Amino acid sequence: MTSTKVLATLLVFIAILVVAQAKPKDSHDHSKETHEEHKAHETPEEHAAHAAQEEAQASQEAQAGQLDEKCYNGCEKTCVDEGNARSFCMLKCEKECLKGYTGS
């Protein structure tokens, strides 16, 4: 009797997995094709402006991910002096001293 319940539960679980993995036939992602088609129809001026915008965005993201060392060192020392564990302080100060950090 117990093995029947286990088998039934297993079959239900497998059925749920199969249904969850099944995709409708219309779920094909056209966003990449649309983007590529759009790029093909850009004028050289539009392409240059688009490339400059992407480069500026990448530069901002790189700067935002840099750690302010002076902030980090002061933060870590203060945190440890307050009696917190060094590993806690490292994580806390890395988060707080990233350039571009807006807080949560």
Side-chain angles (χ1 to χ4, degrees), residues 1-10:
M1 183 76 168
T2 304
S3 62
T4 306
K5 289 181 182 180
V6 171
L7 184 59
T9 304
L10 183 61

Side-chain angles (χ1 to χ4, degrees), residues 11-85:
L11 288 174
V12 168
F13 181 71
I14 291 172
I16 291 171
L17 285 176
V18 168
V19 170
Q21 294 295 324
K23 288 186 177 181
K25 291 181 182 178
D26 296 345
S27 69
H28 181 66
D29 185 16
H30 296 286
S31 61
K32 186 173 182 178
E33 295 170 355
T34 304
H35 182 68
E36 293 299 322
E37 289 172 2
H38 177 70
K39 286 173 74 175
H41 297 294
E42 282 183 336
T43 64
E45 294 82 12
E46 289 174 331
H47 179 70
H50 194 236
Q53 182 182 17
E54 287 177 349
E55 186 176 319
Q57 183 178 2
S59 174
Q60 288 174 347
E61 289 173 358
Q63 288 175 352
Q66 293 177 350
L67 188 64
D68 181 347
E69 293 295 327
K70 186 176 178 181
C71 170
Y72 177 82
N73 292 335
C75 174
E76 184 182 29
K77 181 174 181 350
T78 303
C79 182
V80 170
D81 289 347
E82 291 174 351
N84 295 306

